[in-house]
Amino acid sequence: MTDDVHVRTHHQSFSYSSSDEEKKDEKLEDQKKREESAKEVNVDECFHKSRVSGISPLLRTNQVVFEVRSGRSVPRLREPLHLYGASGHLSQTLPRWPNECEVIPEDVQHIEWVPPYPELLCAQVNTNEWPRPESEEQVAVVYDAQKDKVNNFLGSRVGGRTTDPTHAAVSLSGPDDTTLLFEARFESGNLLKATRVGKFDYELTLRPDLYTEKHTQWFYFRVKNTRAKVPYRFTITNLLKESSLYEEGQMPLLYSQEKAQVQGVGWHRVGQQVSYQPNGRQHALQPCYSLSWTFCFPYDQDTCYLAHCYPYTYSTLWSYLSELDRDPRCSHFCKVRTLCHSLAGNLVPVLTITNPSHHGEKHGSYKPAVVLTARIHPGETNSSWVMRGILDFLLADSPDAVLLRDTFVFKLVPMLNPDGVIVGNHRCSLTGQDLNRNYKSNHRDSFGPVCATRTMVQRLCEERKVLLFCDLHGHSRKHNMFTYGCKNPRSIDRLPHERVFPLMLSKNCPDMFSVRSCKFKVQHSKEGTGRVVFWRLGVLNSFTLETSFCGSNIGKRKGTHFSTQDMERLGAQVCATLLEYCDRTKYSVSVRELQDTMRQHAGLLVDTEPSDASVTQCEASTDGSNSSESDAPPFHHQTFNKRKSRIKLKSKKERNMSHLVSIRKTGANMDKDFKEMFEQSKYALTPSYSQATVINHELRGPKPYTTPASLQIGSKRTKH
């Protein structure tokens, strides 16, 4: 079997024993003995044991082992194998490259570091036109990774091309040669060409996404032979977007190996005279733009890396999952399985996080599901850091984390496009297409990860309520963090349930999350995205969570960059907001606030008189993260009522009513609707109790509420 053949293996979740080491060793010895004896079982023995045990004859198999209990042979399935990495399947997690890719045999690693203070945006943004070299005689190509172009993906193997990588960089003429040595043929790197146009001035060309001629934005490369305290100038010349946050102060990232060893400093922002301007060139019949900046390397003869955003590779993800493998505590509530294989044969892992169901409850079917995905666009590395924050929160021992695991079944896909991440693409997979526009596709061979995710969500919708779907992304043209949601344009008179979660999240992250930047419009061009497809399946809270590549322009963090800690903190706040979303009082207050905002936009006066639905300031606050502090029933006792309301058709007069008149007509009844909603406990979720849960959990609530079908999440209404 050749290296480029895709290896397909069955992977199961990992499991651990909670007994002492001595008992664990005894169990392992007993298991080995049983397995050895099972291998020696022949057909006659199977028939004999079947007579004793009363079961039908079994064929020879390696999946069934026999145990002797009270003189009877009892068959059972063999224990599942481990999934990855530290358990003996390391070869399955090594990145697989297209056959034509040259890969240098180096393991690139970076330390994790957070700056003590938020890094400020660049104060010197250059708006002058991009200058060309004065003399073409000084121009010299110092790095060229250009190879024969291949039109489409043909095959893959670990390590890419079988031959040794060629020398893409020039050789130094001597110790006084100041030429920088570039390299990017490692995981997630994508520099194509470097040209020296001055002694310390370089023009850089990025490789477009493989098998395409576009999508040049992500960059990640290495330089050697640096000189300290000398102003270098780098200019990337083939960017294709008309605008960028570099025009508003964003700075590139620098990682110095010497600085990491001496000072313990990792990725940090560098740059002066940052410029993003058209340069008069064209690529694939599109105008090109240049990103230019000047900076100084911290040490002589240093090895440095530069990147568009904090790198997070496929190997980094599996290193994190391997740490979970070595943590026996996590095995009780975290299972890692393979969602599918990518086009190149890389594993796409999916994590299931939930506490085991209590005795007497059928498979925890009362628990709603939460589905979170990331890195469908490989260049949006900030989404991986947000996912890291979510995982760290859910896997912790805090009371909120335990309550979330008791309440929900979490399905997390941390890297949907591993092929694109490995080769350094910005947006596409190895098909040359955007996976986030193909959730409707049935071509599993080409779009396997999104097809598998859609199937997973469909099955979840059949067996339980899916409360939330959120796809994590990065944004290159806007500041802050915000969401894109879905709303039926004709549902102007119903309560804005789909806006509640983003509003609560903005209260928890007031200096980073902008509720004003959130949009709830289903565009025709976005019909194939995950949030729209799953919204049409009935998931009301279906969002795209965008995190700026730059930073914040609101609150106390205005004018600063986001760090990896900020992104992880946002992930933790997503989890904390889930608890608040299940708090009846906070939910009602958020709906009232949204109603007031809607009336203000409609030109109506906001009722400032006290309402029967008023609550104390403490109850109205959404700054906390522990829903157990509220008087409302804990949400882990709740389930969803599946009753369906009858569809109410509009009359001809109602259909012909103008948009503004309809808003004014419904706005007059908002206070009445809100009061009735609060008094009758009209909340999106219907509580119900499980006897085992009530006995075994400290948090107990009042008797179940009855939720009218007209206000249930997922009920079929005309104005949904």
Side-chain angles (χ1 to χ4, degrees):
M1 182 178 295
T2 59
D3 292 337
D4 57 338
V5 176
H6 293 189
V7 180
R8 305 294 186 181
T9 56
H10 296 283
H11 303 280
Q12 288 84 10
S13 62
F14 52 87
S15 60
Y16 301 88
S17 174
S18 59
S19 60
D20 297 335
E21 292 295 332
E22 296 180 356
K23 295 182 179 180
K24 183 176 181 180
D25 294 338
E26 293 177 359
K27 289 184 178 180
L28 290 175
E29 292 179 0
D30 293 340
Q31 182 177 346
K32 290 181 180 179
K33 292 179 180 179
R34 289 194 297 268
E35 293 176 356
E36 292 176 357
S37 61
K39 295 179 180 179
E40 300 176 356
V41 175
N42 55 27
V43 177
D44 295 335
E45 290 174 338
C46 289
F47 274 106
H48 172 71
K49 293 178 180 179
S50 65
R51 295 193 196 98
V52 176
S53 59
I55 62 175
S56 60
L58 298 175
L59 298 177
R60 184 187 300 272
T61 175
N62 292 329
Q63 299 300 319
V64 178
V65 294
F66 290 91
E67 293 180 347
V68 179
R69 298 179 182 176
S70 302
R72 300 179 60 187
S73 297
V74 180
R76 68 172 180 82
L77 292 176
R78 186 185 301 274
E79 293 294 331
L81 298 176
H82 292 285
L83 175 63
Y84 53 77
S87 300
H89 289 279
L90 180 61
S91 60
Q92 297 299 316
T93 65
L94 295 176
R96 299 179 64 89
W97 295 71
N99 290 339
E100 69 273 11
C101 291
E102 290 188 343
V103 185
I104 61 174
E106 294 184 19
D107 184 17
V108 179
Q109 295 184 355
H110 307 297
I111 65 171
E112 294 186 12
W113 176 79
V114 178
Y117 302 100
E119 297 175 292
L120 299 177
L121 302 185
C122 180
Q124 299 177 353
V125 178
N126 188 4
T127 59
N128 298 326
E129 293 185 0
W130 179 81
R132 290 188 175 275
E134 297 180 359
S135 176
E136 296 291 339
E137 297 179 357
Q138 300 179 357
V139 174
V141 176
V142 297
Y143 175 80
D144 188 1
Q146 181 73 48
K147 299 299 177 184
D148 296 335
K149 290 186 177 180
V150 181
N151 294 328
N152 51 19
F153 173 76
L154 299 176
S156 67
R157 58 167 56 92
V158 175
R161 181 176 293 188
T162 56
T163 59
D164 294 335
T166 58
H167 294 285
V170 298
S171 299
L172 298 178
S173 60
D176 296 332
D177 192 345
T178 60
T179 303
L180 291 178
L181 302 179
F182 291 82
E183 185 57 81
R185 293 172 295 176
F186 48 79
E187 194 172 352
S188 295
N190 72 334
L191 181 65
L192 183 64
K193 187 177 180 180
T195 304
R196 186 177 185 179
V197 296
K199 186 174 182 180
F200 301 106
D201 195 349
Y202 293 86
E203 287 185 8
L204 310 177
T205 303
L206 303 180
R207 175 187 53 74
D209 286 6
L210 280 185
Y211 317 120
T212 74
E213 293 293 336
K214 50 187 178 179
H215 305 306
T216 53
Q217 181 180 358
W218 164 259
F219 61 87
Y220 178 34
F221 57 90
R222 184 188 72 190
V223 293
K224 291 185 177 181
N225 195 38
T226 62
R227 297 294 187 271
K229 300 180 181 180
V230 174
Y232 284 83
R233 185 180 185 217
F234 282 177
T235 304
I236 299 176
T237 61
N238 64 331
L239 300 175
L240 300 178
K241 286 195 173 183
E242 296 182 1
S243 60
S244 172
L245 286 170
Y246 287 107
E247 299 175 274
E248 302 182 33
Q250 179 182 346
M251 293 188 293
L253 285 161
L254 173 70
Y255 182 93
S256 165
Q257 286 190 353
E258 189 73 18
K259 197 170 185 177
Q261 295 176 1
V262 176
Q263 304 180 28
V265 175
W267 288 101
H268 57 282
R269 304 281 178 174
V270 295
Q272 299 85 31
Q273 294 293 323
V274 178
S275 172
Y276 191 89
Q277 296 292 329
N279 56 29
R281 301 181 180 181
Q282 282 194 339
H283 175 78
L285 301 180
Q286 295 183 7
C288 292
Y289 298 81
S290 288
L291 168 63
S292 179
W293 73 99
T294 60
F295 67 103
C296 296
F297 290 108
Y299 294 94
D300 287 327
Q301 302 298 328
D302 193 7
T303 298
C304 296
Y305 296 82
L306 290 102
H308 176 57
C309 191
Y310 301 95
Y312 195 100
T313 65
Y314 181 74
S315 298
T316 304
L317 171 63
W318 280 108
S319 177
Y320 182 87
L321 297 181
S322 296
E323 292 180 3
L324 295 184
D325 186 16
R326 294 189 292 267
D327 187 357
R329 179 187 63 87
C330 294
S331 66
H332 300 292
F333 49 79
C334 176
K335 304 299 179 184
V336 183
R337 288 182 170 84
T338 301
L339 178 67
C340 65
H341 287 74
S342 67
L343 185 62
N346 292 297
L347 300 183
V348 180
V350 56
L351 288 80
T352 302
I353 300 178
T354 188
N355 281 338
S357 303
H358 297 283
H359 181 69
E361 297 172 352
K362 296 182 179 180
H363 309 295
S365 59
Y366 70 97
K367 292 184 179 181
V370 174
V371 182
L372 304 171
T373 61
R375 285 308 274 287
I376 196 168
H377 293 152
E380 297 171 2
T381 59
N382 38 12
S383 65
S384 285
W385 293 102
V386 175
M387 179 64 78
R388 170 76 72 88
I390 293 173
L391 286 171
D392 288 344
F393 188 98
L394 294 178
L395 298 173
D397 289 329
S398 65
D400 284 350
V402 174
L403 183 58
L404 280 173
R405 296 196 298 264
D406 285 338
T407 304
F408 298 102
V409 175
F410 290 90
K411 294 285 187 178
L412 301 99
V413 187
M415 192 169 287
L416 270 170
N417 191 354
D419 295 348
V421 172
I422 291 169
V423 301
N425 280 1
H426 171 66
R427 193 171 184 85
C428 298
S429 67
L430 295 184
T431 62
Q433 299 187 46
D434 186 353
L435 289 180
N436 198 38
R437 297 295 186 270
N438 288 278
Y439 271 94
K440 288 184 175 182
S441 175
N442 292 321
H443 298 287
R444 295 183 177 272
D445 293 338
S446 299
F447 311 115
V450 293
C451 291
T453 304
R454 185 188 63 202
T455 301
M456 179 183 70
V457 175
Q458 287 174 337
R459 291 177 178 176
L460 286 172
C461 290
E462 293 174 358
E463 66 183 28
R464 65 182 76 238
K465 187 69 179 181
V466 179
L467 178 67
L468 173 71
F469 168 80
C470 188
D471 189 17
L472 309 180
H473 284 256
H475 208 282
S476 63
R477 302 186 185 184
K478 290 185 178 181
H479 290 276
N480 309 314
M481 302 163 177
F482 53 93
T483 60
Y484 292 138
C486 302
K487 176 188 175 183
N488 192 323
R490 294 180 298 175
S491 58
I492 57 177
D493 58 340
R494 74 176 181 88
L495 299 176
H497 291 294
E498 73 282 347
R499 298 174 182 261
V500 173
F501 188 86
L503 177 62
M504 289 183 169
L505 184 56
S506 69
K507 299 296 182 66
N508 289 334
C509 304
D511 298 327
M512 296 187 294
F513 190 93
S514 172
V515 72
R516 292 180 177 271
S517 299
C518 298
K519 296 184 182 298
F520 301 87
K521 183 179 180 181
V522 179
Q523 299 175 342
H524 180 70
S525 60
K526 304 297 179 65
E527 287 286 341
T529 61
R531 68 177 174 92
V532 176
V533 170
F534 297 141
W535 173 67
R536 298 200 184 282
L537 285 178
V539 183
L540 176 65
N541 296 301
S542 187
F543 302 112
T544 296
L545 178 59
E546 299 278 358
T547 304
S548 174
F549 283 110
C550 183
S552 173
N553 63 359
I554 57 176
K556 298 179 181 179
R557 291 296 306 274
K558 184 176 181 180
T560 61
H561 287 92
F562 287 146
S563 66
T564 56
Q565 185 182 59
D566 294 327
M567 301 172 194
E568 292 177 6
R569 186 181 295 116
L570 174 66
Q573 291 300 337
V574 169
C575 299
T577 305
L578 270 174
L579 292 176
E580 297 182 352
Y581 186 84
C582 304
D583 187 299
R584 189 182 310 277
T585 302
K586 295 177 181 179
Y587 186 95
S588 301
V589 170
S590 297
V591 172
R592 176 59 183 267
E593 183 176 342
L594 289 169
Q595 288 177 319
D596 292 343
T597 302
M598 290 170 59
R599 281 185 290 181
Q600 288 178 348
H601 286 303
L604 302 178
L605 295 177
V606 180
D607 183 15
T608 57
E609 296 181 0
S611 170
D612 295 337
S614 62
V615 293
T616 65
Q617 183 178 1
C618 179
E619 291 174 334
S621 173
T622 59
D623 294 335
S625 61
N626 193 343
S627 63
S628 61
E629 297 176 357
S630 171
D631 295 334
F635 183 73
H636 68 288
H637 291 164
Q638 301 177 3
T639 187
F640 294 87
N641 192 334
K642 297 183 179 180
R643 293 179 298 173
K644 300 179 180 179
S645 60
R646 296 183 61 184
I647 298 178
K648 181 180 178 181
L649 300 178
K650 287 185 177 181
S651 65
K652 182 177 180 181
K653 181 177 180 181
E654 291 174 329
R655 291 195 302 269
N656 293 335
M657 188 179 299
S658 66
H659 179 76
L660 180 60
V661 174
S662 179
I663 291 180
R664 292 180 180 273
K665 182 177 180 180
T666 56
N669 297 323
M670 281 186 176
D671 284 341
K672 181 179 179 181
D673 293 342
F674 178 80
K675 182 177 180 180
E676 292 177 355
M677 179 191 70
F678 187 82
E679 291 177 349
Q680 299 178 17
S681 300
K682 290 185 179 181
Y683 181 52
L685 312 175
T686 305
S688 65
Y689 285 88
S690 170
Q691 184 177 1
T693 306
V694 174
I695 294 175
N696 292 301
H697 207 284
E698 298 178 359
L699 299 175
R700 301 187 180 183
K703 294 182 180 180
Y705 291 83
T706 302
T707 301
S710 61
L711 285 179
Q712 294 175 10
I713 292 180
S715 62
K716 292 186 177 180
R717 305 180 62 210
T718 301
K719 300 177 181 180
H720 188 309

